[in-house]
Amino acid sequence: MNKISALQKARAAYAPKLPAALANGAAVTINEGGATTAVADVEKVQALFKTTFGSPVLTFAPGKGEKSAARNVGVILSGGQAPGGHNVIAGLYDGLKSLNADNRLYGFLKGPDGLVKGEMVELDDAIIDAHRNTGGFDMIGSGRTKLETEEQFEAARANCEKAAISALVIIGGDDSNTNACVLAEYFKANNIPIQVIGCPKTIDGDLKNEWIEASFGFDTACRVYSELIGNIGRDANSAKKYWHFIKLMGRSASHIALECALQVQPNITIISEEVAAKKQTLGEIVDYMASVVAARAANKMNFGIALIPEGLVEFIPEIKVLIAELNDLLAANADAVEKMDKNEKVAFAAGKLSAESAKVFASLPAGIQMQLCNDRDPHGNVQVSLIETEKMLAEMVGTKLKAMKAEGNYSGKFSTQTHFFGYEGRCAAPSNYDADYCYSLGFNAAALIGAGCTGYMSSVRNTIKPASEWIAGGIPITMMLNMERRHGADKPVIRKALVELDGAPYKHFVANREAWAIETSYVYPGPIQYFGPSEVCDLVTKTLTLEKGGNI
Ligand code: FBP
């Protein structure tokens, strides 16, 4: 057996909390809401999801602990790692065993690929117990393969049938839960008796809506980044000589940057959604950042912290248009582009873009041009984690400050350090919030399977309250769908939840950002606490607290 840390050993004994509805096991009493619709493009979504569209929202109440016939279930981890994935599987396992001790759980290996290739392992007490309350996805691995072809669906069916699996749980983000929905529809429409249930995972925090109030992993990841940013803030305030430009993961949405800003109170935080709404140009963003640097320098503070969301470039209007053109161009010429090296790709793109986009493309540093031409992920997304926006902005702000100095508008010193925080937080041991939430999501997925549901996402709500008041149930995934352009074609996808500019978290940030810019008001959250008083161990994100009307 691998050597484990003292913390992991002690943490293995933590018993995650469950909503009251699941206290007697996963055989629950079901309350059905009315028929549902899609968030947009209703007719198109309905036409694509003929058998699963319109299912009701379900809420659960405690059942009487009835047993059901034994069955086999498969589970898949899909997409990027997020703290708490192992607890979803542990909750699912315990929930299934509560329905019938002979129920069996199989883990498909390396994500959706394992389902298509039939690579799986049976999960038993020893495997599950070794992974309770741990970070990572290493129990069964993950992957980003998109399930979309009939060939893949048929392979999935055949592999499930081989192991007599009659239900699948797909743990993933918006794209993976879209896959779950498409697969559920395929099975149901073809009378294949395999249920499909989704669970909301992603550190990005962008898979949320009225019923799914948080994606798991967001809480833990933000706490890890906030600890690091706080530590850097303390270093900056001690040495007083560096501006730290910190890019934070989160793909398109700025939820992580905003949550970290609320936790640490840095001098600058760029919110991509605001940039898009105000149609800010790259030049305007640089001007704003330089103005804060200059204002602090005037107060003899030649140091600071700037947070930059990973997906920023996609939200700057002129770069967004450029990326959309590049996406279509690269998709339409995929075979030819695959054979090109980085420089050839840049030259090819520059020659085919519209005049306006070609101008924008030419204005970007060569490194960024290459990064924008990198391969898309299997879902057609630009891999924003590979674009070094923090370095680009540090360089551009430096150039702007030189010009301001020459004009006599700035007299400080500007030395930078750049950082990118993402992978540091994705596999951290889950906080109490994520440990409890994930275990509940998994246990609740077993309840949805027991209730015979398909095409549903496991939903656990009211999580700012003690777990005994959490509301468990299921949401039809079709409710969250709309049509979007991917790989040059319109596809049904779960609508991403971006930062809402009329939402309480953003408003709180805006009300304070000027003071945070000029003063040095850093808060140092410190590391996640797993043992100790509830007020340091059982925290809820500031984002969720404010969204639910609380104070921070
Ligand atoms: P998911 O949407 O799959 O949860 O991905 C989260 C994420 O960490 C993003 O924040 C980031 O852009 C991306 O994964 C990085 O992908 P990779 O792990 O392939 O480098």
Side-chain angles (χ1 to χ4, degrees), residues 79-80 144 201-204 249-251 310 384-385 423 426:
R144 289 197 186 276
K201 169 237 73 168
T202 177
I203 60 161
D204 300 349
M249 248 188 195
R251 210 187 280 282
E310 182 180 70
V384 280
S385 60
Y423 301 99
R426 297 201 313 183

Side-chain angles (χ1 to χ4, degrees), residues 91 139 153 161 268 293 341 345 360-361 415 432 462 470 486 509 540 550:
M139 184 199 295
F153 299 161
E161 282 172 358
I268 296 175
V293 174
D341 69 19
K345 277 188 202 170
V360 176
F361 194 59
S415 298
N432 276 5
N462 207 26
W470 291 5
R486 297 288 172 94
F509 160 71
V540 175

Side-chain angles (χ1 to χ4, degrees), residues 463-475:
T463 60
I464 59 161
K465 292 278 163 41
S468 56
E469 293 173 45
W470 291 5
I471 301 164
I475 310 300

Side-chain angles (χ1 to χ4, degrees), residues 79-125:
Q81 283 69 247
H86 288 159
N87 268 28
V88 180
I89 299 179
L92 174 63
Y93 182 83
D94 293 349
L96 291 170
K97 295 287 179 190
S98 78
L99 291 170
N100 187 321
D102 293 328
N103 279 345
R104 291 171 150 203
L105 180 62
Y106 291 88
F108 286 99
L109 303 176
K110 297 188 207 140
D113 251 3
L115 177 63
V116 174
K117 294 184 181 151
E119 292 168 1
M120 65 184 109
V121 62
E122 184 174 352
L123 302 174
D124 57 15
D125 286 353

